[in-house]
Amino acid sequence: MVGKRLRRRMAALAHRDLRLFFVGEATSLLGSAMASLALAFAVLGGGGTQSELGYVMAARIVPMVALMPFAGVVADRVGPRRVMVSSDVLRCVTQATLAVLLLAGRPPLWAFVALVTVWGAGEAFFMPARGALIPRVAAGGDRYAGKLRDANALAGLAQSLASVSGPALAGVAVAVLGPGAVVALDAGTYAVSAVALMLLRLASPGPPPVPAMRGRAIGELAEGWRHFRAHSWLWVTTLQFTLFNMLVWAPFLVLGPVVAQERLGGAGAWGLIMACYGGGAVGGGFAMMGGRAVRRPLLVATVATFGWALPSGAIAAGAPVAVIATGALVAGAGSAVCGTLYATTNQRYLPAGVLARVTSLTGVGAFVLGPVGLAVAGPAASAAGVTGVLAFGAVWQAVACCVVLAVPGVRGLPAAPAGVEDADAAATTDEAARV
């Protein structure tokens, strides 16, 4: 019985294109997770200050926020796979250059900032294109109910596995081989991802884009904004994620280690908590694969986000490590469930020709206020106390979930648009979309 259930959960990997997509995604994400840690040690180990490390980290985030909306326009115009392969090649070259500089000695700060900026620009173009490519990958090969959801679950599972194993592997690799070797490995993972993407058997390109798609970039971006604004469930949930990142998750990431150092036992306790979050995300990803159809996906996704309040609430309540880790486990599982159902809903309801642009807008919403939350978490804790800030975040998350559930367009949205029998086909009905 257990073997049968496991085979059902992993049925998606029996399909060639989904398997290729997962391998490429998991490999590149693992490399990125390892490189992020290696980069921090490279800056600090070479005599850099905390401020310099902050400059380098910001250099990766700023271009992602600034370029992502226009990256969605490019992906919809020329095709998501082309953009993703180009992004992988760009990031491969960037990381290979940085690796050579690190292996030759300590690069100057400007070199770190310049190369990491290009790295972030590549990610800005990759992310919205990825959201637009997933339904086209799911449309190939044998079709079955739930294949689109399985494809999104695989993408989330790759992210979760990388977040769990990447830092641990990077810590060992940096200690043994040095940060330059780890960054070189990351360059190689982007090459693997590019090859996997090129081997995908996607549908043949359709006819040239309609005239509206050949307009100016601003006009095409405005078209994406109109689709984003037209769906209440889309902008309401995006606003929820934006405020969550600023008010809940950012303070948790900044103040959680402080509490761990003061009363939970130090870095080991914090590592356990974050490992449980990652483990919950992996478990949630597995649970979403091959499961039963979800009739009200955004209802289930929003309920799953109640768990995001638990880790902050547990710390604020003075709970021991075991309770906080359990809350993180539930939060991680909820993150995987929410991410899979949210992405699948977008892909089923939005025309393929604007999917990358809308994905870019939701991505900007996820990133834009996160740095603000990271910056103000410390001063806010100085003014209101660590407990007060974390408790506010937990209460905010619970109240926000209730507000979102009160929106009829969220709780009542069916799995597929009216009149569409095969839900997984909904996102591919725009046959004019380019591969």
Side-chain angles (χ1 to χ4, degrees), residues 147-345:
K147 190 178 181 185
L148 178 60
R149 188 188 64 191
D150 282 357
N152 283 295
L154 280 174
L157 184 60
Q159 177 70 64
S160 300
L161 289 171
S163 66
V164 172
S165 57
L169 292 174
V172 175
V174 168
V176 176
L177 303 174
V182 176
V183 175
L185 177 63
D186 185 34
T189 65
Y190 289 126
V192 172
S193 175
V195 171
L197 288 169
M198 289 187 289
L199 290 176
L200 293 175
R201 296 171 182 168
L202 302 179
S204 299
V210 295
M213 284 293 292
R214 293 198 292 263
R216 294 182 177 180
I218 296 298
E220 295 177 31
L221 183 59
E223 182 186 5
W225 172 256
R226 286 194 295 271
H227 281 273
F228 176 84
R229 188 180 58 184
H231 300 284
S232 61
W233 53 268
L234 186 55
W235 61 262
V236 165
T237 53
T238 299
L239 180 60
Q240 179 197 12
F241 300 152
T242 301
L243 295 177
F244 160 75
N245 280 327
M246 181 177 71
L247 300 175
V248 185
W249 191 240
F252 173 74
L253 292 178
V254 172
L255 303 178
V258 175
V259 176
Q261 183 66 31
E262 290 179 350
R263 70 171 182 86
L264 297 178
W270 183 247
L272 174 63
I273 291 168
M274 296 308 294
C276 285
Y277 179 87
V282 171
F286 274 115
M288 292 306 299
M289 293 174 57
R292 296 180 179 179
V294 179
R295 297 182 62 183
R296 294 289 184 267
L298 292 188
L299 172 64
V300 175
T302 304
V303 170
T305 64
F306 273 101
W308 294 351
L310 296 179
S312 295
I315 294 177
V321 172
V323 175
I324 300 171
T326 301
L329 184 75
V330 174
S335 178
V337 171
C338 176
T340 298
L341 294 177
Y342 179 71
T344 304
T345 300

Side-chain angles (χ1 to χ4, degrees), residues 1-14 144 150 154 157 282-283 285-291:
M1 180 64 71
V2 174
K4 183 177 180 180
R5 290 179 179 175
L6 181 60
R7 284 193 298 271
R8 186 180 76 247
R9 296 289 183 191
M10 303 304 294
L13 292 178
Y144 65 87
D150 282 357
L154 280 174
L157 184 60
V282 171
F286 274 115
M288 292 306 299
M289 293 174 57

Side-chain angles (χ1 to χ4, degrees), residues 57-67:
M57 295 303 178
R60 184 182 181 188
I61 297 175
V62 170
M64 293 175 65
V65 175
L67 296 177

